Amino acid sequence: MLTQPNRKLSPAEIDELVSAYEAGTAIAHLSSRFGMHRQTVRFHLKRRGITLRFSTRLLESAQIDEVVQRYADGSSTAELGQRFGVSADTIRRALRGRGVRLRPPPDRPRP
């Protein structure tokens, strides 16, 4: 179920999105920043002729160590994904790969 429609970006905002991506900002970050789905961000980038980086950047072993510790200290997978520039799914996979039992997602208010 779509919670909100994607907003339309102005040409200047698309330029900003492309520049941020080329400077290394992750698609997940751009999605949050511009209030749109990751697929829409990818669409804008592809339409501008930008070659996309791998959609899931691998975390280095030392980073995974830090992810495990921060998760144990209470950070969420979403917070960790944002911190390390990867998706929450990538964080979950890294945690599972280290044998960490994941916490259930927090209850979400129903509309």
Side-chain angles (χ1 to χ4, degrees), residues 18-39:
V18 169
S19 294
Y21 183 77
E22 289 178 326
T25 304
I27 287 177
H29 288 253
L30 294 171
S31 172
S32 292
R33 182 171 158 192
F34 288 94
M36 58 183 45
H37 194 275
R38 290 182 305 256
Q39 287 294 86

Side-chain angles (χ1 to χ4, degrees), residues 63-101:
Q63 290 176 309
I64 296 172
D65 292 341
E66 186 177 348
V67 164
V68 169
Q69 183 59 52
R70 288 179 179 273
Y71 187 77
D73 291 342
S75 292
S76 71
T77 56
E79 291 167 343
L80 292 168
Q82 203 164 41
R83 177 177 178 79
F84 289 94
V86 297
S87 71
D89 285 336
T90 299
I91 296 295
R92 282 190 284 278
R93 282 192 297 275
L95 290 168
R96 283 190 203 110
R98 290 285 177 94
V100 174
R101 185 173 180 183

Side-chain angles (χ1 to χ4, degrees), residues 33-46:
R33 182 171 158 192
F34 288 94
M36 58 183 45
H37 194 275
R38 290 182 305 256
Q39 287 294 86
T40 306
V41 172
R42 285 185 189 97
F43 170 79
H44 283 298
L45 293 169
K46 287 179 183 179

